[in-house]
Amino acid sequence: MKTGQKCIWPACSRAISSALLFISRLPRSDPSEPHAVQLCLERNNIFQWPAAVRTLQQLQIASLSSMKTHPISMATLNMQTEVQKVCAAGALMAILQKQQILLEGPNDLDAQSSGPIVSGVREVALEGFLMIDLASLQALQIFSEEKHPSCMGIGSSKEGFSVYNMLNKCITNMGRRMLRMWMLRPIVDLDAISERQTTIEHFMGRPDVVKEIRTILRLVKDVPRMLQRLQQTQGCPDIKDFKLIMASLTHILQLHSNIQGLATPGMTVHPAEGQSDRRKRRRTSISPAQSPCGIDRLASFQYSQELLTCQSLIADIIDFEQEDDNMMIHYNICSKLDELKISYHGLPSLLTKVVESELQRVPRELRTQLKQNLWSVLYMPQVGFVLRLDGMHLTADLDDYLPDFELAFEGNAESTFGTYYHTDSTRQLNARFGDLKMKIQDLEVAICNSLLSRLQRFSSVLSQATDFAAEVDCLTALAMSARDYHLTRPRLTQQSCLEIKQGRHLLTEAVAGTYIPADTMIGEQSGRIQVVTGPNMSGKSCYAKQIALIVFLAHIGSFVPAESATIGLTDRILTRVPRRDSQRSMQSSFMTDLTQVAAMLKQATSRSLCIIDEFGKGTLNADGIGLLCGTLQHLAAMDQPPVVFACTHFSELFLESCIPRSITVSFKTMQVITDKEPAAGPSQNDIIFLYKPVVGHCLPSYGIHCASLASVPEPILHRAAQVLQLREDGAHIHEIQSECLQHRQSMILALASHLADLDLSSKADLARLMDEAMHISQQGS
């Protein structure tokens, strides 16, 4: 955002605070001057889905070639997977229309248009992040949400089998959230990626340190969220929460001390340094043999004194030894509270004296019958002080001596019957002490709220301390994953290249047990568009997805499943991969494929990675081949084409008339060993899939062999092989000949002969013919 621009934000308290925080963190040329950014508050409803969709549907896209307009295609916005983008775009268009910045129709371009006219709606990539949409995250199984199995909808969803689930060895909740955020926002900053990788590499070599760190992390809670929950508590806060906050701050300080022990002396990165100074210092002062700068940066956490201050604030106010009395505030904090507590703690002896004084009012000759019945004074919320007589009512002879006794109620308490009375003594207790415990709690709540307000001043420090623990948790989790899954450190470069040696698919390897690695080699100019062919079940899709996953993991700073990898910085990962259709989508599967490819053609740059898997299916072969060829030709014709992996069964792509040969396009196939012809019978047990890509192309799909592996019935396999052979020979495909079918055909021919010789004047012959026809029909059914 540049100086002088407007910051649009929905008008609600939480959004306003977020907007102010966002503006405060914007860079300024002169820190002493205030920001020249205008904050505009708008109604919440324009940011909501229905209103945003209606606004976007009213847009008219101007066509400069025909000087006409047409409604915007909502499919181009990828609405079903990018809800936030649609809401943001709709809100922006509504604000521009409100401020009369957009041109309204009818106008000179098109007298029939009735909505605002724009040249197009396009997404602008955020600088410093690799962009990947939700559909690609799902197709690559970065995340996989599993719904709760209860048909009643009880319970929440959980993470299924996914890359995030495999790498998520975090202990803390904030560590899990940060790892998810890293995967949702991969970065393209070489220094930041290298810092994470070096730190992971350091932790991999120190398993004893990682074990100790994780032991500490188990005791660290999310302090900011706990404080927020305490602030939202209506009644008295739970003293256990303050105890957990104190313990968490202690363990964060202990964690910081351990990290400082790993840092290189004199190499601490100070937060006051600029980003460029920090990078320069890191490049010129740290050799590969020295401690990683990631640990040095973590060790530079400068808020230990503030955390100690927070602990001191809590320790000075909260008295954890009073937990048994359901109280929590130290003495000498509030004199009124101290008086109430002294009175409260003195109540047992006072109440004993009250009972004794009441018994003294009973004549001595009547006391003997009361020895077996316990008298006691109790306090009950909403009722006050009452005198309880166990197992008896006040007798008639006692009424004369105790006229002030008024029956309040009777009932069982702990399986013992008792009656409860109001007396002059209990009324005096109510007048003197009243609801003593509630008064104490009200004062303690007020003091706790004041304490929380003082702690809120350190909210940014506490958030940074929690982020510090979360980042350590993420880095140790990635280090453990790298060690467990035999991952290696990739090398990222500014050059637009991709070299992967012995790459593997992280998820497939986990379920397959044995995985055959594959190499990938793409230069800055040659072979940037690879057309991958091969039989069914030969591993084409797995090969393409493994490349996307390796590139993705490298951009979150993780190690990758490969022997070695050199990866050029990538700005987008775009996919057209089959996925489960969404029930809320109003598009067919083929339309969804077209939407994804259209977005790919609009957004792909020279630093993008595009995965196209089986595009063109779901329609006629001619249409599918034409669309795929046109897509690949468009990408190949770009001055600097993106890296593209297109997996297909269309053999027409090998014709030079479909895709002209160039240094940009190369063909690969998944290697297969077989000694038989593709049209051989279903007993193709000697076909071996090697699952390795090699230069070339493959025509047969070996679909019949795959069908046999899927246990398709033998007659169907024989018929499929027969039809395939007849098509290759150019012969007529005749019907299946069986004894039953031949018998039925002979009966039909006999019926036709009888029909030709039928005497229409004979009712008997006509009835006989009808019986034969019914018999043939019943046999056919």
Side-chain angles (χ1 to χ4, degrees):
M1 180 174 292
K2 297 180 181 179
T3 302
Q5 292 184 336
K6 294 183 178 181
C7 177
I8 309 298
W9 227 270
C12 66
S13 59
R14 183 177 299 178
I16 293 174
S17 60
S18 300
L20 294 176
L21 179 62
F22 172 77
I23 293 176
S24 65
R25 294 183 177 180
L26 291 176
R28 287 177 287 182
S29 57
D30 188 356
S32 61
E33 296 182 358
H35 276 291
V37 177
Q38 180 182 356
L39 176 62
C40 299
L41 301 179
E42 295 290 342
R43 301 186 312 275
N44 289 335
N45 58 352
I46 69 172
F47 291 86
Q48 296 176 356
W49 171 267
V53 172
R54 287 195 301 268
T55 302
L56 293 174
Q57 287 175 338
Q58 295 174 1
L59 293 180
Q60 299 289 322
I61 303 298
S63 176
L64 298 180
S65 58
S66 59
M67 299 301 291
K68 293 183 178 181
T69 62
H70 59 86
I72 185 173
S73 174
M74 300 303 291
T76 60
L77 295 176
N78 206 2
M79 292 177 54
Q80 303 305 327
T81 58
E82 302 295 342
V83 176
Q84 291 183 344
K85 293 180 183 178
V86 172
C87 293
L92 177 61
M93 293 301 169
I95 294 169
L96 295 178
Q97 187 176 359
K98 175 183 176 181
Q99 297 179 354
Q100 298 182 353
I101 297 177
L102 293 181
L103 176 64
E104 291 280 350
N107 52 74
D108 295 338
L109 291 178
D110 184 5
Q112 302 299 324
S113 62
S114 57
I117 298 177
V118 296
S119 60
V121 178
R122 164 168 201 196
E123 176 190 353
V124 178
L126 297 176
E127 183 180 358
F129 294 98
L130 181 151
M131 304 300 294
I132 178 170
D133 60 6
L134 180 59
S136 298
L137 290 173
Q138 293 176 347
L140 298 176
Q141 285 185 268
I142 306 298
F143 301 102
S144 178
E145 184 181 13
E146 289 185 356
K147 299 295 183 181
H148 195 273
S150 173
C151 61
M152 301 294 294
I154 301 174
S156 58
S157 60
K158 63 178 182 179
E159 187 68 25
F161 182 58
S162 62
V163 175
Y164 169 74
N165 201 5
M166 289 193 66
L167 299 183
N168 182 18
K169 298 182 182 294
C170 298
I171 295 177
T172 64
N173 290 331
M174 53 273 194
R176 298 184 188 99
R177 290 195 300 269
M178 178 172 286
L179 181 60
R180 176 178 285 271
M181 189 59 63
W182 284 5
M183 289 189 169
L184 288 171
R185 300 176 181 175
I187 56 178
V188 293
D189 186 342
L190 280 178
D191 294 285
I193 294 174
S194 177
E195 179 183 285
R196 290 182 187 176
Q197 292 175 346
T198 307
T199 308
I200 292 171
E201 193 172 37
H202 182 86
F203 281 139
M204 288 179 64
R206 300 291 300 275
D208 54 333
V209 174
V210 171
K211 183 178 180 180
E212 183 179 356
I213 288 175
R214 290 173 67 84
T215 302
I216 299 174
L217 285 171
R218 294 182 189 278
L219 304 174
V220 177
K221 306 301 179 182
D222 195 342
V223 176
R225 292 203 173 195
M226 293 182 67
L227 288 176
Q228 183 180 10
R229 186 172 67 247
L230 286 172
Q231 289 177 330
Q232 295 173 351
T233 302
Q234 297 294 331
C236 187
D238 192 347
I239 192 173
K240 294 180 180 178
D241 289 337
F242 286 106
K243 188 179 295 185
L244 288 176
I245 292 174
M246 289 282 288
S248 297
L249 296 180
T250 300
H251 291 105
I252 289 176
L253 292 171
Q254 183 182 355
L255 178 64
H256 180 233
S257 177
N258 287 18
I259 295 297
Q260 280 185 324
L262 300 175
T264 305
M267 288 305 303
T268 302
V269 180
H270 298 284
E273 293 181 351
Q275 184 71 12
S276 58
D277 297 333
R278 192 182 309 169
R279 293 177 183 173
K280 182 177 179 181
R281 179 173 182 173
R282 186 162 61 228
R283 290 171 183 159
T284 57
S285 302
I286 299 180
S287 65
Q290 289 178 313
S291 241
C293 57
I295 289 183
D296 296 331
R297 180 179 57 80
L298 292 170
S300 65
F301 181 72
Q302 298 294 320
Y303 299 105
S304 299
Q305 187 59 45
E306 285 80 352
L307 298 185
L308 292 174
T309 301
C310 293
Q311 283 188 311
S312 177
L313 284 174
I314 297 175
D316 291 342
I317 301 285
I318 305 299
D319 185 3
F320 298 103
E321 295 181 357
Q322 297 186 35
E323 182 178 1
D324 295 336
D325 296 332
N326 294 324
M327 301 179 186
M328 63 176 67
I329 303 300
H330 270 296
Y331 285 94
N332 300 323
I333 300 295
C334 175
S335 58
K336 184 177 181 181
L337 178 61
D338 294 343
E339 294 176 1
L340 292 175
K341 284 185 178 182
I342 293 173
S343 300
Y344 178 81
H345 291 300
L347 275 178
S349 59
L350 177 61
L351 296 181
T352 301
K353 293 179 180 179
V354 170
V355 172
E356 292 176 351
S357 65
E358 293 293 343
L359 288 173
Q360 291 295 328
R361 297 170 59 189
V362 179
R364 181 174 301 179
E365 59 273 12
L366 297 179
R367 293 180 195 173
T368 55
Q369 63 182 357
L370 301 178
K371 291 182 178 180
Q372 296 179 351
N373 303 104
L374 177 66
W375 286 35
S376 59
V377 177
L378 307 176
Y379 173 80
M380 291 185 176
Q382 310 297 330
V383 178
F385 291 95
V386 290
L387 179 66
R388 183 178 191 273
L389 278 64
D390 283 353
M392 62 170 290
H393 284 277
L394 200 64
T395 59
D397 52 355
L398 291 176
D399 286 339
D400 297 335
Y401 298 99
L402 304 172
D404 58 323
F405 274 50
E406 179 184 354
L407 179 64
F409 58 92
E410 61 184 31
N412 293 324
E414 298 180 358
S415 69
T416 302
F417 176 79
T419 56
Y420 299 83
Y421 292 88
H422 290 301
T423 68
D424 289 343
S425 298
T426 60
R427 295 185 185 97
Q428 292 175 6
L429 289 173
N430 288 328
R432 178 180 176 184
F433 298 105
D435 203 344
L436 183 61
K437 186 63 179 294
M438 295 304 298
K439 292 179 180 179
I440 293 175
Q441 289 184 353
D442 290 342
L443 286 175
E444 290 199 334
V445 168
I447 295 174
C448 286
N449 290 336
S450 176
L451 171 62
L452 293 174
S453 299
R454 297 174 66 183
L455 291 175
Q456 188 63 30
R457 302 173 186 174
F458 299 90
S459 59
S460 60
V461 174
L462 295 174
S463 296
Q464 292 182 40
T466 305
D467 291 342
F468 160 77
E471 185 173 358
V472 174
D473 195 9
C474 287
L475 293 172
T476 54
L478 292 177
M480 293 183 63
S481 299
R483 186 177 64 250
D484 294 344
Y485 305 136
H486 309 290
L487 310 182
T488 58
R489 177 176 181 171
R491 185 177 73 88
L492 277 86
T493 176
Q494 291 284 358
Q495 298 177 351
S496 182
C497 62
L498 183 60
E499 299 177 7
I500 301 174
K501 185 177 181 181
Q502 301 293 290
R504 311 185 309 275
H505 193 293
L506 189 62
L507 300 180
T508 305
E509 184 182 30
V511 297
T514 301
Y515 190 86
I516 300 176
D519 297 342
T520 304
M521 182 71 67
I522 293 180
E524 292 193 56
Q525 298 295 333
S526 60
R528 296 185 64 81
I529 299 179
Q530 293 192 1
V531 181
V532 184
T533 59
N536 294 309
M537 295 177 58
S538 61
K540 302 185 300 297
S541 300
C542 189
Y543 169 67
K545 290 179 181 179
Q546 112 184 358
I547 295 171
L549 282 179
I550 290 175
V551 172
F552 174 85
L553 291 175
H555 283 78
I556 67 171
S558 171
F559 284 22
V560 300
E563 184 178 312
S564 64
T566 300
I567 301 170
L569 286 179
T570 306
D571 62 354
R572 291 179 183 270
I573 296 180
L574 304 164
T575 63
R576 204 317 299 173
V577 178
R579 60 187 181 94
R580 286 179 291 183
D581 293 335
S582 175
Q583 294 297 325
R584 70 174 183 175
S585 175
M586 302 302 294
Q587 301 175 351
S588 64
S589 299
F590 183 62
M591 188 61 187
T592 302
D593 296 348
L594 292 175
T595 301
Q596 292 178 341
V597 172
M600 182 183 300
L601 296 176
K602 291 180 180 180
Q603 300 174 4
T605 68
S606 60
R607 290 194 173 275
S608 300
L609 173 64
C610 304
I611 306 296
I612 304 176
D613 188 18
E614 302 296 348
F615 174 60
K617 292 189 174 182
T619 185
L620 293 176
N621 277 351
D623 294 340
I625 293 169
L627 288 170
L628 180 57
C629 290
T631 299
L632 296 179
Q633 282 188 9
H634 174 83
L635 294 172
M638 295 174 63
D639 294 336
Q640 294 180 332
V643 175
V644 181
F645 290 88
C647 304
T648 182
H649 283 288
F650 292 143
S651 58
E652 289 79 2
L653 266 65
F654 307 139
L655 302 177
E656 190 170 354
S657 57
C658 290
I659 299 182
R661 299 296 182 263
S662 68
I663 191 175
T664 305
V665 182
S666 63
F667 293 89
K668 284 191 174 183
T669 184
M670 306 305 291
Q671 194 171 5
V672 178
I673 296 179
T674 179
D675 294 332
K676 292 191 176 184
E677 295 296 328
S683 59
Q684 303 174 30
N685 296 325
D686 53 352
I687 296 178
I688 301 175
F689 294 144
L690 298 183
Y691 304 105
K692 292 187 74 68
V694 295
V695 177
H697 52 77
C698 177
L699 292 177
S701 64
Y702 298 102
I704 299 175
H705 173 67
C706 296
S708 67
L709 296 178
S711 301
V712 174
E714 197 76 14
I716 298 178
L717 299 177
H718 279 291
R719 178 59 175 170
Q722 187 182 44
V723 171
L724 179 59
Q725 186 63 52
L726 290 173
R727 288 197 61 181
E728 290 183 352
D729 296 341
H732 174 69
I733 301 176
H734 54 76
E735 297 179 354
I736 300 176
Q737 298 298 323
S738 64
E739 293 183 3
C740 181
L741 183 60
Q742 291 178 357
H743 176 66
R744 189 166 183 271
Q745 287 179 345
S746 63
M747 293 178 65
I748 293 174
L749 291 176
L751 180 63
S753 177
H754 293 164
L755 180 63
D757 299 337
L758 178 65
D759 184 4
L760 298 178
S761 61
S762 174
K763 293 184 179 180
D765 291 346
L766 184 60
R768 191 182 308 109
L769 181 65
M770 293 298 295
D771 291 341
E772 292 180 4
M774 291 295 295
H775 178 67
I776 295 174
S777 176
Q778 291 175 358
Q779 285 188 343
S781 61

